[in-house]
Structures are given as structure tokens and as C-alpha cells.
Amino acid sequence: MTRKIGLSWSSGKDSAWALHVLRQTSTDRVTGLFSVVNERFDRVSMHATRVELLRLQAEAVGLPLQTIHLPDPCPNHRYDAIMGGFVADCAAQGTNSFAFGDLYLEDVRQYREKQLAGTGVEPIFPLWRLPTRELAEWMLAAGLEAYISCVDLKKLPASFAGRRWSRELLEKLPPEVDPCGENGEFHTIVVDGPMFAERIEVELGEVKQRDGFAYADIIPLNRGERRIP
């Protein structure tokens, strides 16, 4: 049976790589992307991705994008109601699976499984338990290009915000920091890779610190303008 999959699209490298992996199978069909957007800032939560950049990513991978806008703050009951409605709408339109780019956090996986239980939508985790150092190398070797858009200042200095996620950067990470940032040490925005039809030109804007995090503004550019080196 062909799985008709909606992919949770954070805008970062792991969701992009999950799409790449899913596209390698003949029995899976990714039908669209969905992203959660903070209404107050009009950006993806934590990744701080501009909605216009989200749309460029969706265009580059050739898939429709649905954005789910959440209030800020968003109490649990409100979040559950909004997401529950979204899941029900997707199931009614024929989506039978949601895919997530989670790597090894059991509590996150269990939460997703619990939220989807009984909805007719199966949660799938195409990157689950892949060793993160090797996974990082596979991504980079395939030409995936991403930039760090958010840094947890308890785990990394603000100077990492806005930097390209690269082999050189991985060598400079403290040993306790996961190379894929799976423990929330950092979040990324992807601009190119084997899942993209073309690279998205971007530049680095202002880096701001707020609530214990440093956020880098990754700004999409018109074709031909200066790019991040």
C-alpha cells in the first residue's frame, strides 16, 4: 500500500533529509509539507524562519506547503485543538501518514505517537536512530547546505548563530553538543541539497538574543544578489 505522506517541515536539515530518504522508496509518496508558524513573529518556531523563505523551500522541493499558525503564548489545550483539527483535515483529504525528522529523542517520538493515535494518520520516522555523526557526514557529502539560525546560549556561544553548518563547524563544537543539534543545541535553515531543484540565495541579517537564545535572521534574496559565503 502506498503511503501518502505529509512531512513535518521545520525548514531545517533533518526534515529536508527526511524528504530525501522518503523519496528513495517506490512505495512512499510525499504529498506535501506542513510547518508550524508563530503568529506573533510570523516565523517558524525556534528556527526563526521567515514565511517567505519557507515558501521558497517548498517551491525548491516541488511540494505544496501548509502553514499552521499558533498564537504566542499557546496553552496546551489550544495547541491540541489547532493541531487536532489540522490532522483531521489531512486525514479527510487522504493523507495516511505524517513523517518527522526526529533522530533519537524518545519522549518526542512518544508524544507524536500519542497525538496521532486513533486519527487514521500513522507517524513515521525515516531517520530514527541513525548515528548523528555519520548522518551529518552523509548530508554534507550529498551537498546539503544549511545555516544555524538559532543557538541555545546555555550550550553554545552566540557566535555560532548565522554560521554555515559544515565539517569545519562540526570540528569546533564542544564534545557534549550533538553534531545534528538533536538536543536543541542549535537549529538550522536549509538552502540547498539533493532534495532541492535549485539553491535559495540568502544573506545573513541581524543576530538577536532573546530568552536565552541567539537568533540569526536568514534572509532570502532575489536572484543575482549577494549570498552568504
Side-chain angles (χ1 to χ4, degrees):
M1 176 181 173
T2 299
R3 293 191 293 190
K4 297 180 180 179
I5 302 168
L7 174 61
S8 176
W9 185 260
S10 69
S11 76
K13 57 182 175 43
D14 297 337
S15 56
W17 195 253
L19 174 60
H20 180 61
V21 170
L22 289 167
R23 281 178 164 173
Q24 308 310 304
T25 72
S26 59
T27 57
D28 290 333
R29 184 164 68 89
V30 180
T31 57
L33 313 176
F34 64 92
S35 300
V36 174
V37 173
N38 182 301
E39 279 186 345
R40 177 182 173 192
F41 297 103
D42 200 31
R43 294 176 185 246
V44 175
S45 300
M46 296 311 301
H47 292 254
T49 313
R50 292 173 177 235
V51 170
E52 63 179 305
L53 183 46
L54 267 183
R55 292 177 179 141
L56 288 172
Q57 290 178 326
E59 181 180 332
V61 302
L63 289 170
L65 169 71
Q66 295 185 72
T67 54
I68 307 161
H69 289 77
L70 298 181
D72 181 12
C74 186
N76 289 339
H77 73 277
R78 181 70 175 134
Y79 175 86
D80 290 344
I82 293 171
M83 294 304 297
F86 174 74
V87 173
D89 288 345
C90 289
Q93 294 168 20
T95 298
N96 55 33
S97 302
F98 276 177
F100 303 93
D102 302 309
L103 303 178
Y104 59 72
L105 296 179
E106 290 284 355
D107 58 336
V108 173
R109 176 169 180 156
Q110 290 171 11
Y111 175 78
R112 300 197 195 283
E113 291 172 338
K114 179 181 178 182
Q115 293 302 105
L116 291 176
T119 65
V121 177
E122 172 197 10
I124 56 178
F125 304 87
L127 309 184
W128 189 250
R129 291 296 186 187
L130 293 177
T132 54
R133 181 67 201 211
E134 287 86 344
L135 178 59
E137 178 55 39
W138 295 334
M139 292 180 184
L140 291 167
L144 187 143
E145 181 182 351
Y147 293 88
I148 294 181
S149 58
C150 174
V151 168
D152 184 340
L153 296 174
K154 297 188 298 294
K155 300 173 180 179
L156 283 172
S159 59
F160 277 83
R163 294 182 59 182
R164 181 169 176 170
W165 184 73
S166 63
R167 292 184 181 89
E168 179 185 8
L169 181 138
L170 294 181
E171 294 304 320
K172 295 180 178 179
L173 292 176
E176 67 274 12
V177 171
D178 185 87
C180 289
E182 177 68 351
N183 296 304
E185 299 97 330
F186 61 87
H187 299 279
T188 62
I189 294 174
V190 65
V191 301
D192 199 9
M195 67 296 298
F196 276 34
E198 61 180 358
R199 183 183 187 274
I200 300 171
E201 303 289 342
V202 294
E203 70 173 353
L204 176 63
E206 189 176 2
V207 176
K208 294 183 178 181
Q209 296 187 28
R210 184 177 68 253
D211 301 328
F213 294 88
Y215 296 94
D217 193 9
I218 308 299
I219 305 170
L221 296 178
N222 295 326
R223 197 179 301 275
E225 294 189 67
R226 182 177 62 84
R227 69 178 66 178
I228 293 179

